[in-house]
Structures are given as structure tokens and as C-alpha cells.
Amino acid sequence: MRRWNGWGDDSHQAQLADFAKALLAELLGETHPLPDATLQDATKRVPASRAPDHALLDKSPETRIRHACGQSFPDWLQMRSGQFEHIPDAVAFPETTQHVRELMDWAAEKDLILVPYGGGTSVVGHLACPPSDKPQITVALTRMNRLLDFDKESQIATFGAGVRGPDLEAQLAAIGYTLGHFPQSFELSTAGGWVVTRSSGQQSLRYGRIEQLFAGGTLESPQGTLEIPSIPANSAGPDLRETVLGSEGMLGILTEVKLRVTPLPESEQFYTVFMPDWESGVAAVQAITQGRISLSMLRLSNATETDVSLKLAVPESKLSKLNMLFKLKGLTDQKCMLTFGLTGSKKQVAANEKLANTYLKQHGAKRVLSKMLGGKWKENRFKGPYMRDPLWEHGVAADTFETAMDWSALRPYINVVEKNVTSALKEQGIPVFAYTHLSHVYPQGSSAYTTYLFPAASSYEETMARWRIIKKVASETVVAHGGTISHQHGVGRDHAPYLAAEKGELGMSTLKTLSKHFDPDQRMNPGVLLGDEVASSTEPA
């Protein structure tokens, strides 16, 4: 059963080991958990539904709570406290594109707000629609999960947009193919969600980000149906795929996705090496990507994340022996863990491993339990979000933010971002612990993904206030260094105040005009991308 107030399946119970608790005490001091509401308590607070009757709707309190928000930090506090800012009036469960079209027309007739819901994994506030005088219907697409068509010659697979990662890969594997899109939310997130938030998978070096994999599809909007055919390339004006990519439900609901798939690889291996320090690690990653070495993934952890990862992944009894190996290899506490993947035929994997090792050795890489640690990364690649629950139950709040920027901007950013975040609550005397990694790299630059921990306050309100301060500091640091406010999670409502710094005045007015064109009554997922701003006309501001 899916957790109603946390991440993932409740059959998976992550635990904090005693030494992990001791480490947290060392980093953050004494922490105290806040009381959690029960599902029974939360359902008692659900107001009566204002939604008209419809055959596709479920108005039960529990269903409405389970679709009330995503996994952003404000969402998290609502779920754990049981105090929701707003709960949808009903949840619709369409099974076909025609069902969605009917809902779209019915919403116009009844003056309703529609919020698309895929896997519920948004970490930037896509799903928590602000209170409105109009009834809100959340449209859960999870029943639209089948492989609808497969063009083997063109390697184009058409899926219902609500298909989750494991189901998509299982249906493709049955015919010998893969999409290869593996975000950390893979177990729960959906193909449609990947497209409308411009998602990036962990192995995007080989398979590409979702914009390279999205070939076309169907968008149902208040103004009608937008059909985007799958064409390998064209020069016939602007690419309408880009209208849908990153649209976050603002323009309509994506119901079908055409995806570029590839045959299942013959071989796949993951390895971990250790770089002497951060500078040598960044130089190695930059050289490999600019040298166009065909790896499937590259991830570089800074020294802080490397230290924490090893302490959490390696049993305490074995850690001292591992540290002795590091010392023998000449590695200090500045060492940085670099994990890379190789995917393809056996000959390709062998050749690319040799090429990668040449670059890595030139920058001082050392191998210590390389294949074992690489295998550990693969084994745990989707488990990180599950740690949020035991941390919270220990009184520790956890969140992340990410960006991407050119190599020339990345080094100055990395030098200050953790300093700014860890000192964000300094005036209150509250410690913040942060660490960063690069997980999606390009010849031009890289993403940078920061995780931070801080003690929960004595109330939910004060804990939210602490988060707001940190979020503001982090976002302003990103913007000041010319980074995108989101590399892989989308904008939602949490990042909307910072979008104009990237898009500019003309860019923002273009987005507003697009929104008004597709959705003149502004009933589609209000507040995402544009925040509270609504264009007053179809003319640019």
C-alpha cells in the first residue's frame, strides 16, 4: 500500500542505524520529532465535497487526502501534521483519452479547476492547488498505463501517460526494449509526469533526457486537442513538442506519449573510483564528457557527501579497514567518490571502460572496491527518498534543491552554495548540514544537486519558517550564479518566484500568453510556473 503521508510503499521500512543517529547528533545536536497525525485523524478534517456528481469521480475523504499534494517540503509538513491547506473536492480516474476530453468539457460547463496527477512525486509543489471558490478536481491518470502501440521499425512506443516507471519498463522488456529513463522517483513517477516536468534520468548520458525521448503525443486542453506526430526531425517552424515539455499541467492534460525506445543492452556495469579531491573530480568529469566517451551515467560526490555515504553504506565494523585501504592509496579526507556506468554490447562496455579509465587515471583516480561499491549504487539507486521518513521520526527535516549551469559558472557556485545554506539559520543558532553532487553532466556544464538537513522546530509552523529561510537563500544563490532554478524537478509553485530571472520579461509574457491561449478561463493547475500571476488578456504584457 502506498504511504498516505510519506514516500513510496509502506512495505519498505528504512531504518537509521545507531551510528547514523550518533552522526546526526554530532552534526545537528539534539533533535526532537514532531507528533504525526494518523490517517483517521486527517480524514475527520476533510470538508464536504463541493464537486458535482460524475461517473468518473471518487469523493471519499481518504482518496481525496491521498491525492491532495506531492512530496515537496510544504507538502510533507501538511501530510505529517494532517493539516492540509486545501484538499481536492474529488478525484477523477479516467481510463482513456476520451474520458479526459469529457472531463475537460464537463469542467468548462461546471466551472471547475482541474489538476493532473501522475505518480504524486513532485518535490516543488505541482499538486497542492491553492484554495479557490471553484471546486477542484484532481485527475489521476494511473489507470492510463498500457502500451497502446509499438512501431518496431521506427522504435516508437506509445503509452498511456499515467504509466509508472516499472510498468513501462516491464511492458517494453517483454518485447526486448527499454526506454532507459530512470529518475530517482522511477518506482512511482509516470511517463506523462516526466514529460511535463522535463525530467532527467540517472542514465541520461546514454539514453538522453526526456526531451530527447519524447517523440510526440496527445494533449487535451480546454481549447481542444493537440496532436503531435512522431517525426525524427523537422524545420517546419517551432517544435510543438516544446509546448508540452515542461508545461506542468498549465495548458492541459497529456494523455498519450510517444517515446523513442532502444533494444535492451547486452551488458551493463557500474563502477566507483575515488578522486583525490573535488577539483580533480570535476576536471575528470569535464574531460570525459567533452571527450564524448560513451558512458551511461556519471556521478561525482563532494568530500562531505562521500564521507556521509560511506558511513551510511558500509557497516561500522568494516569502515576502519576501508579507511586503511584509502590511506594506503594516498587518499585523504578530501577524497571524492565518482560512480560511472557502462551500457551497451560487451565490446562497447569493454572499450568504453578502457577509455574512461585512461581519463580517470590522468586525474589521479584510485580504485577501492570499485565494482562492489558500483553495485551498491545500483542496488540502492531508488532508495534515497525512503530515508526521509526515519530522519523525520528522529526529529530531522530533509530536503534538496538542484540546478544546472555552464562549467565556467559551476566552480564559483559550488564554492559558495553549501556555505550559504549551512549558515542560513546562523542568526537563530540552528545548524544546517549540506552536501552536493553532480549527477547529470554535459560537455557544456553540469547539474548540481544539494541535500540539506536541519532540526525540526517545536512546531510545524516554525519548522516551515526555517525551511522558507533556507529555500530563499538556496534559490537566490542559484539565480545569482546564472543557474536554472530547476534542472530536473520542474518549477511548480515553490520555484515560480524565481523563474523570471531565467526567462526574462518577454519570456514570461510569452508563457502567460500561451497559458491564456490554451486555457482562457485559467482552470488548469493554477499557480504552477507563473505563480499567482494571471495574464489579463491574450496580448503580451
Side-chain angles (χ1 to χ4, degrees):
M1 174 69 74
R2 178 81 174 268
R3 281 187 180 86
W4 76 275
N5 65 345
W7 182 270
D9 192 319
D10 59 12
S11 65
H12 181 83
Q13 298 290 341
Q15 302 288 335
L16 282 180
D18 288 341
F19 67 87
K21 294 176 183 178
L23 176 63
L24 289 169
E26 179 185 337
L27 297 171
L28 300 177
E30 189 176 358
T31 58
H32 303 280
L34 284 165
D36 284 341
T38 65
L39 178 58
Q40 184 178 17
D41 289 337
T43 54
K44 288 178 181 177
R45 302 189 187 109
V46 176
S49 173
R50 302 170 296 170
D53 290 332
H54 191 284
L56 294 173
L57 298 191
D58 184 337
K59 299 183 188 180
S60 65
E62 183 173 335
T63 299
R64 291 163 62 193
I65 276 181
R66 287 182 176 275
H67 295 81
C69 57
Q71 295 287 327
S72 73
F73 193 79
D75 292 340
W76 180 266
L77 294 188
Q78 290 187 71
M79 290 187 292
R80 303 307 291 216
S81 68
Q83 300 280 355
F84 290 85
E85 180 183 354
H86 181 60
I87 294 173
D89 292 280
V91 181
F93 291 93
E95 297 182 10
T96 65
T97 292
Q98 183 57 38
H99 281 170
V100 175
R101 182 69 259 161
E102 291 171 9
L103 284 169
M104 199 74 63
D105 296 338
W106 177 69
E109 177 189 340
K110 301 294 184 180
D111 196 19
L112 311 174
I113 289 172
L114 297 181
V115 176
Y117 185 101
T121 59
S122 166
V123 293
V124 293
H126 284 110
L127 304 173
C129 191
S132 171
D133 293 337
K134 300 177 182 181
Q136 176 198 322
I137 310 299
T138 292
V139 183
L141 301 172
T142 46
R143 294 180 184 174
M144 300 174 66
N145 58 11
R146 294 183 297 109
L147 176 63
L148 303 173
D149 182 68
F150 180 54
D151 180 345
K152 185 174 181 179
E153 186 173 8
S154 306
Q155 297 186 348
I156 299 291
T158 303
F159 279 93
V163 64
R164 290 176 178 163
D167 295 331
L168 179 147
E169 286 293 339
Q171 291 178 74
L172 287 176
I175 54 176
Y177 287 81
T178 181
L179 179 65
H181 192 73
F182 302 111
Q184 193 174 51
S185 62
F186 168 77
E187 296 174 321
L188 306 173
S189 56
T190 64
W194 300 339
V195 171
V196 300
T197 59
R198 301 187 74 99
S199 170
S200 187
Q202 293 170 342
Q203 290 176 260
S204 60
L205 262 182
R206 173 179 173 84
Y207 297 105
R209 284 168 53 93
I210 198 64
E211 55 259 44
Q212 282 85 51
L213 300 173
F214 177 55
T218 302
L219 179 82
E220 294 295 344
S221 84
Q223 286 288 74
T225 303
L226 178 67
E227 293 279 5
I228 304 175
S230 60
I231 299 171
N234 75 79
S235 64
D239 188 345
L240 288 179
R241 291 180 316 122
E242 290 291 340
T243 303
V244 176
L245 283 157
S247 58
E248 302 188 4
M250 177 181 70
L251 308 180
I253 297 177
L254 185 64
T255 61
E256 295 181 9
V257 290
K258 297 179 182 295
L259 300 168
R260 300 176 175 119
V261 301
T262 57
L264 285 165
E266 181 183 12
S267 178
E268 186 164 78
Q269 299 291 336
F270 296 95
Y271 297 96
T272 294
V273 298
F274 291 88
M275 309 305 300
D277 51 40
W278 178 252
E279 283 299 322
S280 63
V282 172
V285 167
Q286 185 178 356
I288 288 171
T289 51
Q290 291 181 342
R292 312 287 176 169
I293 307 304
S294 297
L295 304 184
S296 61
M297 60 82 63
L298 264 173
R299 175 182 170 130
L300 176 68
S301 298
N302 71 358
T304 305
E305 181 172 279
T306 296
D307 181 58
V308 170
S309 297
L310 289 171
K311 286 177 178 176
L312 294 178
V314 180
E316 198 173 9
S317 59
K318 297 180 180 179
L319 192 56
S320 59
K321 293 180 180 178
L322 184 58
N323 285 330
M324 288 178 62
L325 280 174
F326 289 140
K327 190 174 181 180
L328 287 171
K329 293 279 188 177
L331 295 166
T332 69
D333 59 2
Q334 293 302 304
K335 64 185 175 295
C336 293
M337 187 163 55
L338 187 155
T339 300
F340 64 97
L342 298 145
T343 305
S345 69
K346 290 180 180 178
K347 288 184 177 180
Q348 288 173 328
V349 166
N352 288 326
E353 183 183 7
K354 186 176 180 180
L355 286 170
N357 283 333
T358 299
Y359 279 89
L360 291 169
K361 286 178 181 177
Q362 288 173 357
H363 291 87
K366 306 290 183 182
R367 283 183 176 263
V368 178
L369 305 177
S370 181
K371 196 168 185 178
M372 187 199 81
L373 291 174
K376 274 285 184 185
W377 177 85
K378 181 182 180 182
E379 178 185 340
N380 296 317
R381 64 193 298 189
F382 306 127
K383 293 181 180 177
Y386 284 97
M387 290 305 298
R388 204 176 194 182
D389 283 277
L391 285 168
W392 178 256
E393 290 158 8
H394 192 64
V396 176
D399 199 23
T400 65
F401 62 92
E402 38 82 23
T403 182
M405 56 189 69
D406 294 348
W407 288 116
S408 56
L410 185 71
R411 284 181 171 85
Y413 168 79
I414 291 294
N415 290 336
V416 301
V417 64
E418 286 185 15
K419 180 181 177 181
N420 290 356
V421 168
T422 55
S423 61
L425 302 177
K426 188 176 181 179
E427 290 184 6
Q428 302 177 41
I430 299 166
V432 180
F433 179 67
Y435 48 87
T436 301
H437 67 256
L438 311 183
S439 54
H440 300 86
V441 294
Y442 311 90
Q444 177 183 344
S446 175
S447 69
Y449 192 110
T450 300
T451 300
Y452 60 93
L453 311 175
F454 63 97
S458 58
S459 70
Y460 277 93
E461 292 77 13
E462 180 57 29
T463 303
M464 172 66 92
R466 291 180 181 182
W467 175 82
R468 288 194 188 281
I469 292 170
I470 300 171
K471 185 69 174 177
K472 184 174 186 291
V473 167
S475 299
E476 289 178 348
T477 303
V478 167
V479 169
H481 286 80
T484 177
I485 198 61
S486 179
H487 167 266
Q488 66 208 57
H489 290 152
V491 174
R493 295 173 179 85
D494 294 353
H495 290 161
Y498 304 95
L499 186 63
E502 178 178 334
K503 303 301 183 188
E505 184 178 351
L506 182 59
M508 291 301 292
S509 67
T510 301
L511 292 178
K512 292 173 190 176
T513 301
L514 194 64
S515 172
K516 288 288 285 185
H517 176 70
F518 276 84
D519 180 22
D521 297 323
Q522 299 293 283
R523 69 179 72 262
M524 295 305 309
N525 208 10
V528 295
L529 286 177
L530 303 178
D532 295 329
E533 297 183 52
V534 178
S536 59
S537 72
T538 56
E539 295 300 317

